């Protein structure tokens, strides 16, 4: 069975929904394909105690503010529920679970081979995010390590770590929030590339995003302004503040290798660990596009979100190379709007 559309959006998480919101304003026949069983995107797989680092009203997709939660910084369940309601509110045409396995293009038409049907479209928007491509640095002798190893993408809670010696690798908000939780039940060591920057208590994601907008406008005007912080800095949500009060927000510089029972530090000393949690980020999940022969598959060439290699292809929500803060709830709206406009223009030329 084959289905043909003007536009297909691959990915039904926050980026796909934001793009679909703006596609509603066009007269194009579009569809969202999502490989998840339910609405909520990657938020369904976050750790149990995950918190946003902006209040609800500053963590919203285009058109509808996220309802306030009981806490200043909403948890993952609140976000998942918002995304479900957002999808229903705007009657997003979505099919799930549909996993796109390969995309090819011939005679101006994209063909999407999936685990179900074959879909065809004239324009394609990839909005699959990065959750499915967790990144783990290549440390020497990692294969020798006999303990457990898990990326933050698979971490759920600290239950199984009680009484263990746990190494947490990676700074930023994921590293700090997971450290705060695990350190309550385990003996933890935190490793970051550089000394983690803890933002002042009054500075959170809303200030960072507002400053980024001012910085962007200043750049267009040929001016520069000094940053108040970056999205990689640690926002002091309540759990992280509590960890600071326990004096556990202290990090060490990277070790040089693993051995069977733990790691070897730069000075040659060894330290035993039962478990390692990698909070080391993600890469764009673009395996489904390998059939298109992109020149740089890990980070394809793009002008904003528009592919330079393949006409009729756009990328939304993959971070800085597709728009500043485009991997955030509030940040993706700007590039989603631009993408929808460009797609509409594509059909008029």
């Amino acid at each position: 069975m084959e289905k043909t559309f003007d536009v297909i959006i691959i990915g039904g998480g926050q980026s796909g929904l934001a793009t679909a919101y703006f596609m509603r304003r066009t007269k194009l026949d579009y569809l969202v394909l999502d490989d998840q069983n339910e609405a909520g995107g990657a938020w369904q797989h976050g750790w149990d105690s995950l918190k946003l680092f902006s209040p609800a009203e500053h963590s919203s997709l285009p058109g509808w503010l996220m309802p306030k939660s009981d806490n200043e910084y909403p948890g993952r369940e609140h976000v998942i529920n918002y995304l479900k309601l957002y999808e229903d509110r705007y009657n997003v045409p979505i099919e799930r679970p549909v996993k796109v396995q390969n995309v090819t293009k011939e005679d101006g038409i994209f063909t999407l081979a999936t685990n179900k049907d074959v879909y065809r479209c004239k324009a394609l928007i990839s909005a699959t995010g990065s959750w499915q491509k967790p990144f783990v640095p290549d440390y020497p002798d990692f294969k020798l390590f006999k303990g457990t190893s898990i990326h933050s993408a698979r971490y759920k809670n600290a239950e199984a770590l009680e009484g263990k010696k746990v190494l947490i690798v990676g700074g930023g908000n994921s590293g700090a929030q997971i450290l705060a939780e695990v350190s309550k039940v385990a003996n933890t060591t935190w490793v970051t590339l550089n000394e983690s920057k803890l933002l002042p208590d009054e500075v959170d994601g809303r200030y960072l995003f507002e400053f980024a907008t001012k910085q962007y406008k200043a750049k267009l005007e040929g001016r520069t302004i000094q940053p108040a912080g970056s999205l990689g800095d640690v926002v002091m949500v309540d759990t992280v503040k509590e960890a600071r009060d326990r004096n556990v927000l202290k990090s060490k510089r990277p070790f040089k290798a693993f051995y069977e029972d733990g790691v070897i530090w730069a000075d040659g000393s060894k330290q035993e660990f039962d478990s390692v949690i990698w909070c080391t980020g993600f890469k764009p999940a673009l395996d489904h596009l390998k059939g298109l022969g992109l020149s740089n598959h890990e980070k394809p060439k793009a002008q904003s979100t528009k592919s330079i290699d393949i006409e009729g292809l756009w990328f939304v929500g993959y971070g800085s190379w597709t728009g500043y803060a485009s991997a955030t709830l509030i940040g993706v709206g700007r590039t989603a709007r631009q993408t929808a406009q460009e797609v509409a223009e594509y059909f008029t030329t």
Side-chain angles (χ1 to χ4, degrees), residues 81-138:
N81 187 55
Y82 168 67
L83 294 178
K84 288 179 179 177
L85 294 174
Y86 188 93
E87 189 176 305
D88 292 340
R89 182 186 183 95
Y90 295 112
N91 196 27
V92 176
I94 190 164
E95 293 187 16
R96 63 164 60 94
V98 178
K99 183 172 182 60
V100 177
Q101 298 164 328
N102 191 42
V103 178
T104 55
K105 187 183 182 186
E106 186 176 357
D107 297 329
I109 300 295
F110 292 95
T111 299
L112 286 66
T114 78
N115 62 325
K116 292 192 175 179
D117 300 326
V118 174
Y119 297 79
R120 298 184 189 276
C121 60
K122 300 171 186 175
L124 181 66
I125 302 170
S126 186
T128 50
S130 58
W131 172 78
Q132 297 182 61
K133 293 285 284 188
F135 170 71
V136 174
D138 185 18

Side-chain angles (χ1 to χ4, degrees), residues 14-71:
Q14 62 193 38
S15 300
L17 293 182
T19 307
Y21 171 84
F22 289 109
M23 289 303 303
R24 293 168 59 250
R25 301 179 178 182
T26 73
K27 295 181 180 180
L28 299 173
D29 180 28
Y30 71 97
L31 176 71
V32 179
L33 297 179
D34 186 32
D35 66 356
Q36 301 296 298
N37 291 317
E38 299 179 356
W43 291 97
Q44 298 173 85
H45 308 286
W47 60 92
D48 296 343
S49 63
L50 172 62
K51 288 179 178 285
L52 292 176
F53 51 84
S54 297
E57 61 272 25
H58 292 271
S59 305
S60 304
L61 292 179
W64 183 42
L65 289 178
M66 181 186 292
K68 290 188 176 182
S69 65
D70 294 336
N71 300 309

Side-chain angles (χ1 to χ4, degrees), residues 68-222:
K68 290 188 176 182
S69 65
D70 294 336
N71 300 309
E72 181 179 11
Y73 300 104
R76 59 181 288 271
E77 289 297 332
H78 188 82
V79 179
I80 292 169
N81 187 55
Y82 168 67
L83 294 178
K84 288 179 179 177
L85 294 174
Y86 188 93
E87 189 176 305
D88 292 340
R89 182 186 183 95
Y90 295 112
N91 196 27
V92 176
I94 190 164
E95 293 187 16
R96 63 164 60 94
V98 178
K99 183 172 182 60
V100 177
Q101 298 164 328
N102 191 42
V103 178
T104 55
K105 187 183 182 186
E106 186 176 357
D107 297 329
I109 300 295
F110 292 95
T111 299
L112 286 66
T114 78
N115 62 325
K116 292 192 175 179
D117 300 326
V118 174
Y119 297 79
R120 298 184 189 276
C121 60
K122 300 171 186 175
L124 181 66
I125 302 170
S126 186
T128 50
S130 58
W131 172 78
Q132 297 182 61
K133 293 285 284 188
F135 170 71
V136 174
D138 185 18
Y139 269 98
D141 296 329
F142 175 54
K143 291 183 179 179
L144 297 178
F145 181 57
K146 296 177 180 178
T148 62
S149 172
I150 187 173
H151 192 276
S152 62
R154 304 290 184 267
Y155 171 80
K156 298 303 290 183
N157 55 57
E159 252 179 48
L161 300 173
E162 186 169 356
K164 304 287 188 181
K165 290 172 284 189
V166 181
L167 178 66
I168 298 173
V169 182
N173 288 283
S174 60
Q177 287 192 25
I178 291 176
L179 171 73
E181 177 171 273
V182 176
S183 62
K184 290 183 177 180
V185 300
N187 181 0
T188 55
T189 299
W190 191 22
V191 167
T192 60
L193 187 60
N194 300 300
E195 190 71 32
S196 292
K197 182 177 179 182
L198 309 181
L199 292 169
D201 287 4
E202 68 274 11
V203 176
D204 60 19
R206 83 191 103 171
Y207 297 105
L208 296 178
F209 187 79
E210 287 169 0
F211 177 80
T213 301
K214 293 177 182 177
Q215 194 174 43
Y216 173 75
K217 291 179 179 178
K219 184 178 180 180
L220 294 179
E221 297 169 358

